[in-house]
Amino acid sequence: MKSLQLMGLLLCASFSLELAAEETGKPMEMTVYRSPTCGCCGKWLEHAKQSGFKINDVISEDMDAIKARFGIPEKLASCHTAVVDGYVVEGHVPAADIQKLLQSKAKVAGIAAPGMPMGSPGMEMGGQQDAYKVVSFDKEGKFEVFASHGNAN
């Protein structure tokens, strides 16, 4: 049942991105910074592409510097960092959550899926899924829950 709900959210997000692309004449662009040795980042990139984002893939040997540059609080860090429409997206955030952020025009610096939750986009492990939260954060480092996945309360 949860898989069907997630598929529905992803389809809605993809449709919304397609509508945005039709309005502007081009897909929403996202720049993703990642380590050259991280396989799960590549899988997440594919998830983002399949959800309608145009990806500018930037390989970096110094992800700590990238995270500092974009103000990622240490406790929210993950393996890759993306920037889309002025927002920072840290880690394995589902595309539906990114679309929700873009549509809401929230007054935050970005959203993050801290760590590398099993079952999140790019971290699929069969049917296993950790309960995890995507959090929004501001420039002062304050954060709050943006979305919950896998029965995370």
Side-chain angles (χ1 to χ4, degrees):
M1 182 70 169
K2 291 179 183 145
S3 295
L4 290 175
Q5 290 172 332
L6 181 58
M7 282 182 60
L9 285 172
L10 291 174
L11 285 172
C12 288
S14 179
F15 181 71
S16 296
L17 282 172
E18 287 173 15
L19 287 177
E22 287 175 12
E23 291 174 13
T24 64
K26 60 183 178 178
M28 180 66 72
E29 290 190 29
M30 177 187 300
T31 299
V32 180
Y33 300 88
R34 66 184 177 103
S35 164
T37 60
C38 186
C40 66
C41 295
K43 291 178 182 178
W44 185 83
L45 282 173
E46 287 305 313
H47 165 75
K49 286 178 188 176
Q50 290 173 359
S51 298
F53 289 98
K54 180 181 178 196
I55 304 297
N56 177 22
D57 187 11
V58 179
I59 305 296
S60 175
E61 295 288 343
D62 191 357
M63 288 305 297
D64 290 337
I66 298 291
K67 290 172 190 329
R69 176 175 154 199
F70 290 109
I72 308 294
E74 190 174 325
K75 60 186 154 197
L76 301 183
S78 184
C79 53
H80 56 268
T81 302
V83 179
V84 59
D85 200 26
Y87 291 106
V88 177
V89 178
E90 179 68 6
H92 294 267
V93 175
D97 291 350
I98 299 168
Q99 185 59 35
K100 177 181 165 185
L101 172 70
L102 295 172
Q103 288 177 345
S104 72
K105 301 202 182 298
K107 295 189 186 313
V108 299
I111 56 178
M116 298 171 72
M118 187 182 310
S120 61
M123 292 294 297
E124 293 87 356
M125 302 295 257
Q128 299 176 352
Q129 181 172 5
D130 291 343
Y132 69 99
K133 296 178 183 177
V134 171
V135 296
S136 63
F137 60 94
D138 64 18
K139 292 183 191 295
E140 288 77 43
K142 296 178 194 157
F143 59 93
E144 63 184 49
V145 174
F146 184 80
S148 296
H149 299 278
N151 291 327
N153 294 323

